[in-house]
């Protein structure tokens, strides 16, 4: 019996070290599982959107683009490129009309849906309502996406301020709102990607973010984060 106690005493430090090692490694793996979604509204726009796509491709990042329908025809190559490079594409209405103030909701959504299907294939394409609002009794037949981090890039048009606002508020499963029509927002987006990737974050589309959290997107539901 004494012999077994002696063997256990000799082995115990090694066993404890191994347990601590597994615990630390497992914790690191969990910590690294930090996913966020970059989303861009109001595009596409020649000059800024293609520069953004270049930067995202260089960094191996996929994002989600909510497009204004009336801008698709003159930017068909950009939209096709988004689809080819694995980005998620969504509907941001035909002419950026508020959907909670009497706009012809079905026409605004259907015209953009048709333009996207003609270029990128069958939908349905998820909706980001302009200003994040829809009428109380509106019937929406696709999932809707809002956001949890809004740096108000349209207001400041300052890449440094936008970057800082995002980095101060981002957390795992965030959905970040930006507008690819502003060069300053493109600069901020790429800086955010570089900074957060260095911290162990991974960038995915909104659809991927919800799937990672086991969320089954439902028509008419509004999603603000990757958890719902």
């Amino acid at each position: 019996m004494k012999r077994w106690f002696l063997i256990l005493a000799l082995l115990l430090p090694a066993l404890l070290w191994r347990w601590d090692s597994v615990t630390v490694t497992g914790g690191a793996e969990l910590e690294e599982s930090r996913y966020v979604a970059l989303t861009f509204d109001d595009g596409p726009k020649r000059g800024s959107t293609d520069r953004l796509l270049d930067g995202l491709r260089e960094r191996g990042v996929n994002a989600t683009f909510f497009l204004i329908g009336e801008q698709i025809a003159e930017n068909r190559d950009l939209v096709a490129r988004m689809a080819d490079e694995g980005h998620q594409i969504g509907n941001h209405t035909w002419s950026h009309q508020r959907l909670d103030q009497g706009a012809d909701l079905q026409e605004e959504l259907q015209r953009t849906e048709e333009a996207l299907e003609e270029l990128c294939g069958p939908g349905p394409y998820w909706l980001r309502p302009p200003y994040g609002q829809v009428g109380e009794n509106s019937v929406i037949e696709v999932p809707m996406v809002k956001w949890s981090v809004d740096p108000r890039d349209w207001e400041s048009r300052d890449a440094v301020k936008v970057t800082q606002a995002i980095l101060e508020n981002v957390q795992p499963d965030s959905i970040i709102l930006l507008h690819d029509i502003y060069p300053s927002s493109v600069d901020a987006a790429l800086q955010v990607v570089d900074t957060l990737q260095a911290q162990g974050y991974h960038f995915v589309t909104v659809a991927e973010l919800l799937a990672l959290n086991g969320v089954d997107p439902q028509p008419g539901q509004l999603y603000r984060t990757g958890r719902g």
Side-chain angles (χ1 to χ4, degrees):
M1 182 66 69
K2 291 182 179 179
R3 182 183 178 188
W4 285 109
F5 276 116
L6 180 60
I7 293 172
L8 181 60
L10 292 171
L11 290 176
L12 187 58
L15 291 171
L16 289 175
W17 176 86
R18 181 171 177 79
W19 173 258
D20 288 341
S21 177
V22 170
T23 302
V24 170
T25 301
E29 288 175 355
L30 289 175
E31 187 177 348
E32 289 175 1
S33 297
R34 293 183 287 183
Y35 294 89
V36 293
L38 275 176
T39 67
F40 298 92
D41 286 7
D42 295 359
K45 182 180 179 182
R46 187 72 55 187
S48 57
T49 301
D50 43 6
R51 185 165 67 88
L52 174 61
L53 290 172
D54 289 342
L56 295 178
R57 182 176 59 190
E58 290 170 2
R59 292 161 175 79
V61 166
N62 286 334
T64 303
F65 291 85
F66 293 97
L67 307 183
I68 294 178
E70 64 184 5
Q71 295 170 190
I72 292 174
E74 62 185 17
N75 294 289
R76 290 173 62 89
D77 58 325
L78 290 177
V79 179
R81 179 181 173 186
M82 290 174 189
D84 290 342
E85 295 183 358
H87 302 289
Q88 183 179 356
I89 297 173
N91 189 330
H92 199 42
T93 73
W94 182 258
S95 58
H96 204 267
Q97 294 294 310
R98 292 189 69 109
L99 300 180
D100 60 340
Q101 295 184 353
D104 189 337
L105 183 149
Q106 294 306 319
E107 181 178 1
E108 284 286 326
L109 301 188
Q110 188 61 35
R111 291 182 70 184
T112 304
E113 181 84 7
E114 291 174 355
L116 289 173
E117 288 188 343
E118 178 185 353
L119 187 57
C120 302
Y125 291 88
W126 294 8
L127 170 67
R128 170 164 281 164
Y131 312 100
Q133 302 293 327
V134 294
E136 184 176 347
N137 298 316
S138 299
V139 177
I140 306 295
E141 298 179 349
V142 296
M144 295 182 289
V145 181
K146 201 170 180 181
W147 53 82
S148 56
V149 178
D150 178 7
R152 299 177 69 86
D153 59 328
W154 54 270
E155 185 175 56
S156 70
R157 313 279 181 93
D158 184 314
V160 174
K161 290 182 178 178
V162 172
T163 300
Q164 182 178 4
I166 294 172
L167 296 179
E168 288 177 351
N169 292 282
V170 72
Q171 56 186 321
D173 300 313
S174 291
I175 296 176
I176 302 168
L177 169 65
L178 286 166
H179 299 78
D180 52 312
I181 60 175
Y182 304 123
S184 56
S185 297
V186 173
D187 293 337
L190 299 180
Q191 181 60 58
V192 165
V193 170
D194 290 341
T195 302
L196 292 183
Q197 282 185 330
Q199 296 177 10
Y201 276 87
H202 305 276
F203 289 85
V204 294
T205 67
V206 173
E208 290 169 337
L209 188 63
L210 292 173
L212 285 165
N213 283 283
V215 177
D216 182 18
Q218 298 298 311
Q221 293 295 313
L222 187 63
Y223 298 92
R224 293 177 172 82
T225 74
R227 298 190 182 98

